[in-house]
CSV table of all heavy atoms in Angstrom, one decimal:
chain,number,residue,atom,x,y,z
A,529,LYS,N,-11.5,-53.4,-16.6
A,529,LYS,CA,-10.1,-53.0,-16.4
A,529,LYS,C,-9.9,-52.3,-15.0
A,529,LYS,O,-10.9,-51.7,-14.6
A,529,LYS,CB,-9.6,-52.1,-17.5
A,529,LYS,CG,-9.7,-52.7,-18.9
A,529,LYS,CD,-9.3,-51.7,-19.9
A,529,LYS,CE,-9.4,-52.3,-21.3
A,529,LYS,NZ,-9.0,-51.3,-22.4
A,530,PRO,N,-8.8,-52.4,-14.4
A,530,PRO,CA,-8.6,-51.6,-13.2
A,530,PRO,C,-8.9,-50.2,-13.3
A,530,PRO,O,-9.5,-49.6,-12.3
A,530,PRO,CB,-7.1,-51.8,-12.9
A,530,PRO,CG,-6.8,-53.2,-13.5
A,530,PRO,CD,-7.6,-53.2,-14.7
A,531,GLU,N,-8.7,-49.5,-14.4
A,531,GLU,CA,-9.0,-48.1,-14.5
A,531,GLU,C,-10.5,-47.9,-14.6
A,531,GLU,O,-10.9,-46.7,-14.6
A,531,GLU,CB,-8.3,-47.5,-15.8
A,531,GLU,CG,-8.6,-48.3,-17.0
A,531,GLU,CD,-7.5,-49.3,-17.4
A,531,GLU,OE1,-7.0,-50.0,-16.5
A,531,GLU,OE2,-7.1,-49.3,-18.6
A,532,ASP,N,-11.3,-48.9,-14.6
A,532,ASP,CA,-12.8,-48.7,-14.6
A,532,ASP,C,-13.3,-48.6,-13.1
A,532,ASP,O,-14.4,-48.3,-12.9
A,532,ASP,CB,-13.5,-49.9,-15.2
A,532,ASP,CG,-13.3,-50.0,-16.7
A,532,ASP,OD1,-13.3,-49.0,-17.4
A,532,ASP,OD2,-13.1,-51.2,-17.2
A,533,THR,N,-12.4,-48.8,-12.2
A,533,THR,CA,-12.7,-48.7,-10.8
A,533,THR,C,-13.2,-47.3,-10.4
A,533,THR,O,-12.5,-46.3,-10.7
A,533,THR,CB,-11.5,-49.0,-9.9
A,533,THR,OG1,-11.2,-50.4,-10.1
A,533,THR,CG2,-11.9,-48.8,-8.4
A,534,ALA,N,-14.4,-47.2,-9.9
A,534,ALA,CA,-15.0,-45.9,-9.6
A,534,ALA,C,-16.4,-46.1,-9.0
A,534,ALA,O,-16.9,-47.2,-8.9
A,534,ALA,CB,-15.2,-45.0,-10.9
A,535,MET,N,-16.9,-45.0,-8.4
A,535,MET,CA,-18.3,-45.0,-8.1
A,535,MET,C,-19.1,-44.7,-9.3
A,535,MET,O,-18.8,-43.7,-10.0
A,535,MET,CB,-18.6,-44.0,-7.0
A,535,MET,CG,-20.0,-43.9,-6.4
A,535,MET,SD,-20.4,-45.4,-5.4
A,535,MET,CE,-19.5,-45.0,-3.9
A,536,TYR,N,-20.1,-45.5,-9.6
A,536,TYR,CA,-20.9,-45.3,-10.8
A,536,TYR,C,-22.3,-44.8,-10.4
A,536,TYR,O,-22.9,-45.3,-9.5
A,536,TYR,CB,-21.1,-46.6,-11.5
A,536,TYR,CG,-19.8,-47.0,-12.3
A,536,TYR,CD1,-18.7,-47.4,-11.7
A,536,TYR,CD2,-19.8,-46.9,-13.7
A,536,TYR,CE1,-17.5,-47.7,-12.4
A,536,TYR,CE2,-18.7,-47.3,-14.5
A,536,TYR,CZ,-17.6,-47.7,-13.8
A,536,TYR,OH,-16.5,-48.0,-14.6
A,537,TYR,N,-22.7,-43.8,-11.1
A,537,TYR,CA,-24.0,-43.1,-10.9
A,537,TYR,C,-24.9,-43.2,-12.1
A,537,TYR,O,-24.4,-43.0,-13.2
A,537,TYR,CB,-23.8,-41.6,-10.5
A,537,TYR,CG,-22.9,-41.4,-9.3
A,537,TYR,CD1,-21.5,-41.3,-9.4
A,537,TYR,CD2,-23.5,-41.3,-8.0
A,537,TYR,CE1,-20.7,-41.0,-8.3
A,537,TYR,CE2,-22.7,-41.0,-6.9
A,537,TYR,CZ,-21.3,-40.9,-7.1
A,537,TYR,OH,-20.5,-40.7,-6.0
A,538,CYS,N,-26.1,-43.4,-11.9
A,538,CYS,CA,-27.0,-43.2,-13.0
A,538,CYS,C,-27.7,-41.8,-12.8
A,538,CYS,O,-27.8,-41.3,-11.7
A,538,CYS,CB,-28.1,-44.3,-13.2
A,538,CYS,SG,-29.3,-44.4,-11.9
A,539,ALA,N,-28.1,-41.2,-13.9
A,539,ALA,CA,-28.7,-39.9,-13.9
A,539,ALA,C,-29.7,-39.7,-15.0
A,539,ALA,O,-29.7,-40.5,-16.0
A,539,ALA,CB,-27.6,-38.9,-14.0
A,540,ALA,N,-30.6,-38.7,-14.8
A,540,ALA,CA,-31.6,-38.4,-15.8
A,540,ALA,C,-31.6,-36.9,-16.0
A,540,ALA,O,-31.4,-36.1,-15.2
A,540,ALA,CB,-33.0,-38.9,-15.2
A,541,LYS,N,-31.9,-36.6,-17.3
A,541,LYS,CA,-31.9,-35.2,-17.7
A,541,LYS,C,-33.2,-35.0,-18.4
A,541,LYS,O,-33.7,-35.8,-19.2
A,541,LYS,CB,-30.7,-35.0,-18.7
A,541,LYS,CG,-30.5,-33.6,-19.1
A,541,LYS,CD,-29.2,-33.4,-19.9
A,541,LYS,CE,-28.9,-32.0,-20.3
A,541,LYS,NZ,-29.8,-31.6,-21.4
A,542,ARG,N,-33.8,-33.8,-18.3
A,542,ARG,CA,-35.1,-33.5,-18.8
A,542,ARG,C,-35.2,-33.2,-20.3
A,542,ARG,O,-36.2,-33.5,-20.9
A,542,ARG,CB,-35.7,-32.2,-18.1
A,542,ARG,CG,-36.1,-32.5,-16.6
A,542,ARG,CD,-36.9,-31.3,-16.1
A,542,ARG,NE,-36.2,-30.1,-16.1
A,542,ARG,CZ,-35.5,-29.6,-15.0
A,542,ARG,NH1,-35.5,-30.3,-13.9
A,542,ARG,NH2,-34.8,-28.5,-15.1
A,543,TRP,N,-34.1,-32.7,-20.9
A,543,TRP,CA,-34.2,-32.2,-22.2
A,543,TRP,C,-33.0,-32.5,-23.0
A,543,TRP,O,-32.1,-33.3,-22.6
A,543,TRP,CB,-34.6,-30.7,-22.3
A,543,TRP,CG,-35.3,-30.3,-23.5
A,543,TRP,CD1,-34.9,-29.2,-24.3
A,543,TRP,CD2,-36.4,-30.9,-24.2
A,543,TRP,NE1,-35.7,-29.1,-25.4
A,543,TRP,CE2,-36.7,-30.1,-25.3
A,543,TRP,CE3,-37.2,-32.0,-23.9
A,543,TRP,CZ2,-37.7,-30.4,-26.2
A,543,TRP,CZ3,-38.3,-32.3,-24.7
A,543,TRP,CH2,-38.5,-31.5,-25.9
A,544,LEU,N,-32.9,-31.9,-24.2
A,544,LEU,CA,-31.9,-32.2,-25.2
A,544,LEU,C,-30.5,-32.0,-24.7
A,544,LEU,O,-30.2,-31.2,-23.9
A,544,LEU,CB,-32.1,-31.4,-26.5
A,544,LEU,CG,-33.5,-31.4,-27.1
A,544,LEU,CD1,-33.6,-30.4,-28.2
A,544,LEU,CD2,-33.7,-32.8,-27.7
A,545,GLY,N,-29.6,-32.8,-25.3
A,545,GLY,CA,-28.2,-32.7,-25.0
A,545,GLY,C,-27.8,-33.7,-23.9
A,545,GLY,O,-27.7,-33.3,-22.8
A,546,CYS,N,-27.5,-34.9,-24.3
A,546,CYS,CA,-27.2,-36.0,-23.4
A,546,CYS,C,-25.8,-36.1,-23.0
A,546,CYS,O,-25.5,-36.6,-21.9
A,546,CYS,CB,-27.7,-37.3,-23.9
A,546,CYS,SG,-29.5,-37.4,-24.1
A,547,TRP,N,-24.9,-35.8,-23.8
A,547,TRP,CA,-23.4,-35.9,-23.5
A,547,TRP,C,-23.0,-34.7,-22.8
A,547,TRP,O,-22.3,-33.8,-23.3
A,547,TRP,CB,-22.6,-36.2,-24.8
A,547,TRP,CG,-21.3,-36.8,-24.5
A,547,TRP,CD1,-20.1,-36.2,-24.7
A,547,TRP,CD2,-21.0,-38.0,-23.8
A,547,TRP,NE1,-19.1,-37.0,-24.2
A,547,TRP,CE2,-19.6,-38.1,-23.7
A,547,TRP,CE3,-21.8,-39.0,-23.3
A,547,TRP,CZ2,-19.0,-39.2,-23.1
A,547,TRP,CZ3,-21.2,-40.1,-22.7
A,547,TRP,CH2,-19.8,-40.2,-22.6
A,548,THR,N,-23.3,-34.7,-21.5
A,548,THR,CA,-23.0,-33.5,-20.6
A,548,THR,C,-23.0,-34.1,-19.2
A,548,THR,O,-23.6,-35.1,-18.9
A,548,THR,CB,-24.0,-32.4,-20.8
A,548,THR,OG1,-23.8,-31.4,-19.9
A,548,THR,CG2,-25.5,-32.9,-20.6
A,549,LEU,N,-22.4,-33.3,-18.3
A,549,LEU,CA,-22.5,-33.7,-16.9
A,549,LEU,C,-23.7,-33.0,-16.2
A,549,LEU,O,-24.0,-33.2,-15.1
A,549,LEU,CB,-21.2,-33.2,-16.2
A,549,LEU,CG,-19.9,-33.9,-16.6
A,549,LEU,CD1,-18.7,-33.4,-15.8
A,549,LEU,CD2,-20.0,-35.4,-16.5
A,550,LEU,N,-24.4,-32.1,-16.9
A,550,LEU,CA,-25.4,-31.3,-16.4
A,550,LEU,C,-26.8,-32.0,-16.4
A,550,LEU,O,-27.7,-31.6,-17.1
A,550,LEU,CB,-25.5,-29.9,-17.1
A,550,LEU,CG,-24.2,-29.1,-17.1
A,550,LEU,CD1,-24.4,-27.9,-17.9
A,550,LEU,CD2,-23.8,-28.8,-15.7
A,551,TYR,N,-26.8,-33.1,-15.6
A,551,TYR,CA,-28.1,-33.8,-15.5
A,551,TYR,C,-28.9,-33.3,-14.3
A,551,TYR,O,-28.3,-32.7,-13.4
A,551,TYR,CB,-27.8,-35.3,-15.3
A,551,TYR,CG,-27.6,-36.0,-16.7
A,551,TYR,CD1,-26.7,-35.6,-17.6
A,551,TYR,CD2,-28.5,-37.1,-17.0
A,551,TYR,CE1,-26.6,-36.2,-18.8
A,551,TYR,CE2,-28.3,-37.7,-18.2
A,551,TYR,CZ,-27.4,-37.3,-19.1
A,551,TYR,OH,-27.3,-37.9,-20.4
A,552,ASN,N,-30.2,-33.5,-14.3
A,552,ASN,CA,-31.1,-33.0,-13.3
A,552,ASN,C,-31.2,-33.9,-12.1
A,552,ASN,O,-31.5,-33.4,-11.0
A,552,ASN,CB,-32.4,-32.7,-13.9
A,552,ASN,CG,-32.4,-31.8,-15.1
A,552,ASN,OD1,-32.5,-32.2,-16.3
A,552,ASN,ND2,-32.1,-30.5,-14.8
A,553,TYR,N,-31.2,-35.2,-12.3
A,553,TYR,CA,-31.4,-36.1,-11.2
A,553,TYR,C,-30.4,-37.2,-11.1
A,553,TYR,O,-29.9,-37.6,-12.2
A,553,TYR,CB,-32.8,-36.8,-11.4
A,553,TYR,CG,-33.9,-35.8,-11.6
A,553,TYR,CD1,-34.4,-35.5,-12.9
A,553,TYR,CD2,-34.5,-35.1,-10.6
A,553,TYR,CE1,-35.4,-34.6,-13.1
A,553,TYR,CE2,-35.5,-34.1,-10.8
A,553,TYR,CZ,-36.0,-33.9,-12.1
A,553,TYR,OH,-36.9,-33.0,-12.3
A,554,TRP,N,-30.0,-37.5,-9.9
A,554,TRP,CA,-28.9,-38.4,-9.7
A,554,TRP,C,-29.2,-39.5,-8.7
A,554,TRP,O,-29.9,-39.2,-7.7
A,554,TRP,CB,-27.6,-37.7,-9.3
A,554,TRP,CG,-27.1,-36.8,-10.3
A,554,TRP,CD1,-27.5,-35.5,-10.6
A,554,TRP,CD2,-26.0,-37.0,-11.2
A,554,TRP,NE1,-26.8,-34.9,-11.6
A,554,TRP,CE2,-25.8,-35.9,-12.0
A,554,TRP,CE3,-25.2,-38.1,-11.4
A,554,TRP,CZ2,-24.9,-35.8,-13.0
A,554,TRP,CZ3,-24.2,-38.0,-12.4
A,554,TRP,CH2,-24.1,-36.9,-13.2
A,555,GLY,N,-28.7,-40.7,-8.9
A,555,GLY,CA,-28.8,-41.7,-7.9
A,555,GLY,C,-27.7,-41.6,-6.9
A,555,GLY,O,-26.8,-40.7,-6.9
A,556,GLN,N,-27.6,-42.5,-5.9
A,556,GLN,CA,-26.7,-42.5,-4.8
A,556,GLN,C,-25.3,-43.1,-5.2
A,556,GLN,O,-24.4,-42.9,-4.4
A,556,GLN,CB,-27.3,-43.1,-3.6
A,556,GLN,CG,-27.1,-44.6,-3.5
A,556,GLN,CD,-28.0,-45.4,-4.5
A,556,GLN,OE1,-29.0,-44.8,-5.0
A,556,GLN,NE2,-27.6,-46.6,-4.8
A,557,GLY,N,-25.3,-43.9,-6.2
A,557,GLY,CA,-24.1,-44.5,-6.7
A,557,GLY,C,-23.9,-45.9,-6.3
A,557,GLY,O,-24.5,-46.3,-5.2
A,558,THR,N,-23.1,-46.7,-7.0
A,558,THR,CA,-22.8,-48.0,-6.7
A,558,THR,C,-21.3,-48.2,-7.0
A,558,THR,O,-20.9,-47.8,-8.1
A,558,THR,CB,-23.7,-49.1,-7.4
A,558,THR,OG1,-23.4,-50.4,-6.9
A,558,THR,CG2,-23.5,-49.0,-8.9
A,559,GLN,N,-20.6,-48.8,-6.1
A,559,GLN,CA,-19.1,-48.9,-6.3
A,559,GLN,C,-18.8,-50.1,-7.2
A,559,GLN,O,-19.3,-51.2,-7.0
A,559,GLN,CB,-18.5,-49.1,-4.9
A,559,GLN,CG,-16.9,-49.3,-5.0
A,559,GLN,CD,-16.3,-48.0,-5.4
A,559,GLN,OE1,-16.7,-46.9,-5.0
A,559,GLN,NE2,-15.2,-48.1,-6.2
A,560,VAL,N,-17.9,-49.9,-8.1
A,560,VAL,CA,-17.3,-50.9,-8.9
A,560,VAL,C,-15.8,-50.9,-8.7
A,560,VAL,O,-15.1,-49.9,-8.8
A,560,VAL,CB,-17.6,-50.6,-10.4
A,560,VAL,CG1,-16.8,-51.6,-11.3
A,560,VAL,CG2,-19.0,-50.8,-10.7
A,561,THR,N,-15.2,-52.0,-8.3
A,561,THR,CA,-13.8,-52.2,-8.1
A,561,THR,C,-13.3,-53.3,-8.9
A,561,THR,O,-13.8,-54.4,-8.9
A,561,THR,CB,-13.5,-52.4,-6.6
A,561,THR,OG1,-14.1,-51.4,-5.8
A,561,THR,CG2,-12.0,-52.6,-6.3
A,562,VAL,N,-12.2,-53.0,-9.7
A,562,VAL,CA,-11.6,-54.0,-10.6
A,562,VAL,C,-10.2,-54.2,-10.2
A,562,VAL,O,-9.4,-53.2,-10.2
A,562,VAL,CB,-11.8,-53.6,-12.1
A,562,VAL,CG1,-11.2,-54.7,-13.0
A,562,VAL,CG2,-13.2,-53.2,-12.4
A,563,SER,N,-9.8,-55.4,-9.9
A,563,SER,CA,-8.4,-55.7,-9.5
A,563,SER,C,-7.7,-56.4,-10.6
A,563,SER,O,-8.3,-57.1,-11.4
A,563,SER,CB,-8.4,-56.5,-8.2
A,563,SER,OG,-9.1,-57.8,-8.4
């Protein structure tokens, strides 16, 4: 959907609690654009 348009990043976290923004390592991102 158009609202999915964003820069998408993958990330890794060392320990428990995955549903958080507080990840330890991040990629550079890849752009997704939906028209």
Side-chain angles (χ1 to χ4, degrees):
K529 304 175 180 180
E531 52 263 43
D532 296 318
T533 295
M535 184 72 74
Y536 283 71
Y537 301 89
C538 71
K541 186 172 183 287
R542 289 193 295 268
W543 202 234
L544 301 173
C546 296
W547 197 245
T548 176
L549 299 179
L550 302 177
Y551 275 57
N552 302 107
Y553 309 101
W554 294 83
Q556 83 291 338
T558 185
Q559 179 67 39
V560 171
T561 302
V562 185
S563 60

